[in-house]
C-alpha cells in the first residue's frame, strides 16, 4: 500500500526529469562517443590536443579556481561577523546578502559593464585624477570575468557559511580565549575547523557555478576571452557545429562531476583527521 | 561581543562591493544623456518611459512572466506530491530518486539548454514556446522539492493518521490536514521558483527564437548593440521586483531559510 502510493506520487515528476533531462543528455552525449565502428574517444582527444581549446579549458578552470578562493577570503570574515551579530542586525545582513542573489545575473553583469567600460566609472576617475591619460582596458578581459563572477557568487558563499557558523556555540570561542588564545588564533583553531562543512558546500556551489556560468563571461569577457559555456553556445548557435558543441557540453559535465567528487573526497579526508 | 574594528571595516568594504554596482545602476538610470554617465548630468525619467514605449521589452517581459508562472505551477503540481512521498514514505531506491529530483541543479544550465534544444526542438520538433516551458519547469523542480520537503519534514504525521482513522480518504486528508499546514512554504516555494525561472539565462538562451524571447535574453542582446540607460532603468524595475519577492519570502518562509 505505502509503496504503491509513493510511486503514484513520484512518477509524474520523475517522468518529466527522465524524458526532458536525462534522455536529452544521453541523446547529446552518446553520438560524441561513436566513431565509424564502436566506441571512440577521437573527438575528445582532438579537443585536448588542440591548443586553442586547451586554452579555453584552462582559462575556465583558472577563473573558477580564483573565484572560489576570493569568495572564501571575502566570505569567511563576513559570515563570521553575521553569525555573531545580534538577531535583528543578522536579519538585515542576511537580507542584504540575499538581495544580490535574487537579482538577475544580466543586471549584475551590466552593472560591471558600466563600471569597467572604456568610458566607465573607474577609467573616468583615474583620468580625472590624471593617473592615466588613456582609458585602460578593463572590460572584455579575464580580469572583468573574475570580478563579475566573484560578484555573482560571493552571496552564495556567505549564505552557505553563515548556515554552519550560526550553529557554533559562542562558549567555545570564549573558552579558547579564556585559555589564552587571541581572537585570530581562536578563529582559526575553533571557528574555522567547525565551519568546514559550510565551506565545502559553498566551495562546491561557487566552483561549479563559476565553471558553468554563461551570462557573466558573455557580457564581461567578450569574444576573445571564451570559456567553456560561451564556447558551447558559439559552437551550437553561431557556427551550427552541434558535434563540437556536444563534445564541449560533455566535457563540462564530466569536469563538474570530477570537481564535486574531488572536493567531497578532500572533505571526508579532513573529517577523518578530525580537523 | 567585543568590537573588532578591522573585522567591521572589512565587512563594510565587502557590502560596499556588493551594493555599489547596484546603486550606480540606479543613479545612471535617471541620467538624461544617450549614454551611461556617472554621475549623470541632470535628471530625467525618460528611460523609464522608453521601456513602456518599447514593444520588445513589453512583449518579452510578459512572456517571462507567463513562462515563470506556468512553469512554477507545473513544477508545483509535479513537485508537491513528490516531496510528500519523499518525506512521508520509506521505500527502495529513495536516495537515488532524491538525487534524480535534484539533478537539474547539478547539470550546468548551458549544457541542459543545449541538450534540450538538440532533443526536443531539433529531433522532436516541439514548438519553441512549449520547449521554453518544459525547460523552465525542469530547472525549478529542485527548488520546489527542497522548500516543500523541509516544511513537510517538520510536519507531525500522526495528525494525518488520526484523520485517516476517522474515515477521511487519503486525498481528502492531504487537502484538509496536510496542505493547510504547508501553505506558507508553498507560497515561498512559488516565489523562489518564479524568480529562478524569471532570471534564467543559460537554458532560455537556447529555447528562444523568432517571436519568443524572455526579458533577460532581450536585455543581453540589447546591450550588445546599444549602451544607453534603458537597461539601467529596466534593472531598477527588476530590483524592485526582487524586493517584492524577498518581502513575500520573509513573510512566509523567512529569509533565514537561505542560510539553512
Amino acid at each position: 500500500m505505502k509503496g504503491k502510493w509513493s510511486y503514484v506520487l513520484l512518477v509524474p515528476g520523475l517522468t518529466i526529469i527522465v524524458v526532458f533531462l536525462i534522455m536529452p543528455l544521453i541523446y547529446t552525449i552518446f553520438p560524441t562517443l561513436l566513431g565509424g565502428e564502436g566506441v571512440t574517444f577521437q573527438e575528445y582527444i582532438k579537443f585536448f590536443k588542440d591548443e586553442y581549446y586547451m586554452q579555453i579549458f584552462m582559462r575556465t578552470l583558472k577563473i573558477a579556481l580564483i573565484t572560489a578562493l576570493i569568495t572564501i577570503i571575502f566570505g569567511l570574515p563576513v559570515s563570521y561577523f553575521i553569525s555573531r551579530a545580534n538577531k535583528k542586525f543578522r536579519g538585515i545582513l542576511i537580507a542584504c546578502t540575499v538581495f544580490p542573489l535574487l537579482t538577475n545575473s544580466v543586471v549584475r553583469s551590466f552593472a560591471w559593464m558600466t563600471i569597467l567600460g572604456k568610458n566607465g566609472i573607474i577609467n573616468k576617475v583615474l583620468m580625472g585624477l590624471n593617473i592615466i591619460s588613456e582609458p585602460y582596458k578593463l572590460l572584455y578581459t579575464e580580469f572583468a570575468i573574475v570580478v563579475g563572477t566573484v560578484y555573482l557568487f560571493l552571496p552564495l558563499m556567505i549564505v552557505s557559511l553563515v548556515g554552519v557558523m550560526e550553529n557554533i556555540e559562542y562558549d567555545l570561542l570564549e573558552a579558547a580565549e579564556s585559555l589564552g588564545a587571541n581572537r585570530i588564533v581562536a578563529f582559526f583553531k575553533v571557528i574555522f575547523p567547525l565551519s568546514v562543512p559550510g565551506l565545502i558546500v559553498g566551495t562546491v556551489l561557487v566552483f561549479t557555478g563559476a565553471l558553468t556560468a554563461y551570462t557573466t563571461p558573455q557580457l564581461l569577457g567578450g569574444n576573445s576571452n571564451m570559456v567553456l559555456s560561451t564556447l558551447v553556445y558559439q559552437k551550437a548557435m553561431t557556427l551550427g557545429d552541434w558535434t563540437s558543441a556536444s563534445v564541449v557540453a560533455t566535457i563540462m559535465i564530466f569536469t563538474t562531476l570530477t570537481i564535486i567528487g574531488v572536493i567531497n573526497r578532500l572533505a571526508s579526508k579532513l573529517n577523518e583527521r578530525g580537523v | 561581543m567585543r568590537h573588532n574594528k578591522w573585522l567591521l571595516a572589512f565587512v563594510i568594504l565587502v557590502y560596499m562591493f556588493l551594493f555599489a554596482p547596484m546603486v550606480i545602476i540606479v543613479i545612471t538610470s535617471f541620467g538624461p544623456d544617450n549614454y551611461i554617465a556617472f554621475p549623470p548630468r541632470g535628471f530625467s525619467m525618460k528611460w523609464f518611459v522608453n521601456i513602456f514605449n518599447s514593444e520588445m521589452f513589453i512583449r518579452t517581459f510578459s512572456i517571462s512572466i507567463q513562462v515563470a508562472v506556468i512553469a512554477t505551477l507545473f513544477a508545483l503540481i509535479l513537485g508537491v506530491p513528490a516531496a510528500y512521498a519523499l518525506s512521508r514514505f520509506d521505500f527502495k531506491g529513495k536516495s537515488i530518486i532524491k538525487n534524480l529530483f535534484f539533478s537539474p541543479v547539478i547539470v550546468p544550465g548551458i549544457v541542459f539548454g543545449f541538450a534540450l534544444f538538440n532533443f526536443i526542438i531539433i529531433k522532436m520538433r516541439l514548438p519553441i514556446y512549449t520547449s521554453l516551458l518544459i525547460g523552465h519547469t525542469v530547472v525549478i523542480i529542485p527548488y520546489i522539492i527542497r522548500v516543500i520537503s523541509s516544511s513537510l519534514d517538520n510536519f507531525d504525521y500522526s495528525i494525518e493518521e488520526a484523520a485517516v482513522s476517522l474515515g477521511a480518504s487519503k486525498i481528502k486528508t492531504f487537502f484538509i490536514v496536510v496542505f493547510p499546514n504547508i501553505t506558507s512554504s508553498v507560497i515561498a516555494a512559488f516565489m523562489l521558483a518564479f524568480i529562478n525561472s524569471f532570471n534564467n539565462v543559460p537554458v532560455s538562451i537556447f529555447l528562444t527564437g523568432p517571436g519568443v524571447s524572455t526579458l533577460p535574453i532581450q536585455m543581453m542582446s540589447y546591450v550588445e548593440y546599444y549602451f544607453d540607460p534603458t537597461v539601467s532603468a529596466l534593472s531598477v524595475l527588476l530590483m524592485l521586483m526582487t524586493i517584492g519577492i524577498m518581502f513575500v519570502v520573509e513573510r512566509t518562509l523567512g529569509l533565514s531559510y537561505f542560510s539553512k
Side-chain angles (χ1 to χ4, degrees):
Chain A
M1 178 64 188
K2 277 183 178 174
K4 199 185 76 190
W5 255 106
S6 57
Y7 291 127
V8 171
L9 298 171
L10 290 166
V11 162
L14 280 179
T15 312
I16 295 291
I17 299 227
V18 170
V19 174
F20 294 114
L21 178 75
I22 309 297
M23 274 169 60
L25 285 178
I26 294 172
Y27 178 77
T28 303
I29 294 174
F30 207 59
T32 64
L33 297 168
L34 286 184
E37 48 225 63
V39 175
T40 167
F41 293 102
Q42 202 68 47
E43 293 287 343
Y44 295 90
I45 295 168
K46 234 165 69 191
F47 180 95
F48 286 107
K49 272 194 173 162
D50 189 309
E51 219 172 278
Y52 175 68
Y53 292 145
M54 251 334 250
Q55 204 190 344
I56 293 177
F57 183 75
M58 295 312 284
R59 177 185 297 131
T60 313
L61 281 181
K62 190 172 89 185
I63 290 171
L65 187 67
I66 296 175
T67 301
L69 285 176
I70 298 178
T71 55
I72 291 171
I73 294 168
F74 282 10
L76 271 173
V78 173
S79 315
Y80 173 69
F81 184 84
I82 296 177
S83 68
R84 292 294 149 233
N86 67 48
K87 211 172 171 206
K88 199 176 163 200
F89 195 39
R90 194 192 307 164
I92 295 169
L93 289 171
I94 288 180
C96 287
T97 316
V98 171
F99 178 69
L101 205 57
L102 293 179
T103 303
N104 198 298
S105 58
V106 177
V107 172
R108 288 193 270 168
S109 303
F110 176 72
W112 284 102
M113 288 175 79
T114 70
I115 296 172
L116 300 173
K118 232 185 193 121
N119 295 310
I121 293 152
I122 293 185
N123 271 322
K124 279 269 174 65
V125 169
L126 290 181
M127 278 163 65
L129 295 173
N130 283 325
I131 295 173
I132 53 170
S133 54
E134 295 265 298
Y136 198 70
K137 190 182 173 184
L138 295 165
L139 192 58
Y140 308 127
T141 59
E142 278 182 32
F143 168 76
I145 304 181
V146 170
V147 172
T149 317
V150 167
Y151 188 66
L152 205 59
F153 292 109
L154 179 59
L156 207 55
M157 177 63 86
I158 294 177
V159 155
S160 311
L161 281 170
V162 168
V164 177
M165 284 186 179
E166 266 178 346
N167 297 325
I168 298 172
E169 293 285 336
Y170 191 52
D171 299 350
L172 285 175
L173 199 65
E174 284 195 330
E177 280 179 23
S178 71
L179 291 170
N182 68 36
R183 272 267 148 149
I184 291 167
V185 172
F187 177 83
F188 280 103
K189 293 245 162 168
V190 180
I191 302 287
F192 182 75
L194 289 170
S195 312
V196 166
L199 197 64
I200 304 292
V201 173
T203 308
V204 167
L205 291 175
V206 172
F207 204 115
T208 57
L211 196 75
T212 59
Y214 172 77
T215 317
T216 304
Q218 176 67 33
L219 289 176
L220 301 179
N223 286 330
S224 50
N225 293 290
M226 287 242 223
V227 293
L228 290 176
S229 54
T230 48
L231 183 64
V232 173
Y233 184 76
Q234 192 213 43
K235 285 286 176 199
M237 303 309 256
T238 316
L239 305 173
D241 181 356
W242 295 339
T243 314
S244 296
S246 305
V247 169
V248 182
T250 310
I251 290 171
M252 280 183 84
I253 291 199
F254 282 100
T255 312
T256 310
L257 291 178
T258 309
I259 283 164
I260 295 176
V262 168
I263 296 177
N264 282 333
R265 177 68 73 77
L266 279 175
S268 59
K269 275 242 171 85
L270 279 176
N271 276 340
E272 263 171 40
R273 272 176 37 210
V275 172
Chain B
M1 174 179 173
R2 271 179 294 144
H3 288 289
N4 187 321
K5 274 183 290 180
W6 292 108
L7 181 60
L8 184 66
F10 188 85
V11 172
I12 291 171
L13 280 178
V14 169
Y15 277 100
M16 272 172 65
F17 170 72
L18 283 179
F19 277 89
M22 304 225 212
V23 171
I24 288 167
I25 290 196
V26 175
I27 294 172
T28 58
S29 72
F30 294 105
D33 295 316
N34 285 341
Y35 53 89
I36 291 171
F38 186 88
R41 289 184 294 196
F43 177 86
S44 158
M45 293 286 283
K46 70 177 179 191
W47 304 107
F48 289 89
V49 177
N50 194 24
I51 297 169
F52 292 98
N53 288 330
S54 148
E55 193 264 333
M56 67 183 179
F57 285 130
I58 299 291
R59 194 185 60 228
T60 52
F61 176 77
S62 73
I63 291 177
S64 281
I65 295 277
Q66 269 175 42
V67 169
V69 169
I70 300 172
T72 303
L73 289 175
F74 279 157
L76 275 172
I77 293 169
L78 299 166
V80 172
Y84 175 76
L86 287 171
S87 146
R88 180 77 176 87
F89 304 120
D90 265 319
F91 47 87
K92 245 189 181 168
K94 189 168 164 175
S95 69
I96 295 172
I97 289 177
K98 230 178 189 166
N99 285 333
L100 261 175
F101 276 117
F102 285 110
S103 60
V105 186
I106 298 162
V107 177
I110 200 89
V111 172
F112 173 49
F114 173 60
L116 258 188
F117 163 77
N118 210 355
F119 188 66
I120 67 176
I121 293 188
I122 302 299
K123 184 167 183 262
M124 288 165 66
R125 303 201 163 275
L126 289 187
I128 292 176
Y129 188 80
T130 315
S131 312
L132 191 61
L133 272 180
I134 292 172
H136 279 230
T137 306
V138 172
V139 163
I140 59 188
I141 282 179
Y143 296 95
I144 303 281
I145 304 248
R146 219 192 120 176
V147 174
I148 306 285
S149 294
S150 66
S151 149
L152 280 172
D153 285 342
N154 294 324
F155 181 70
D156 181 2
Y157 284 106
S158 59
I159 306 172
E160 188 201 44
E161 273 159 23
V164 173
S165 73
L166 291 170
S169 72
K170 273 260 170 191
I171 291 167
K172 196 177 171 191
T173 310
F174 180 80
F175 282 104
I176 290 187
V177 178
V178 184
F179 196 77
N181 280 290
I182 58 165
T183 345
S184 62
S185 68
V186 171
I187 296 169
F190 185 98
M191 296 322 271
L192 292 180
F194 173 89
I195 193 79
N196 271 291
S197 161
F198 192 93
N199 284 342
N200 184 284
V201 170
V203 177
S204 313
I205 199 148
F206 282 99
L207 309 176
T208 46
V212 183
S213 191
T214 63
L215 186 63
I217 304 296
Q218 185 66 55
M219 284 167 81
M220 271 188 90
S221 53
Y222 189 87
V223 295
E224 269 181 51
Y225 298 103
Y226 312 96
F227 204 64
D228 63 38
T230 311
V231 174
S232 309
L234 259 172
S235 302
V236 172
L237 298 183
L238 293 183
M239 286 183 214
L240 290 175
M241 188 174 89
T242 304
I243 292 173
I245 285 182
M246 278 176 65
F247 184 75
V248 177
V249 172
E250 169 62 23
R251 276 296 159 93
T252 49
L253 195 63
L255 286 175
S256 61
Y257 159 82
F258 285 94
S259 58
K260 266 176 199 154

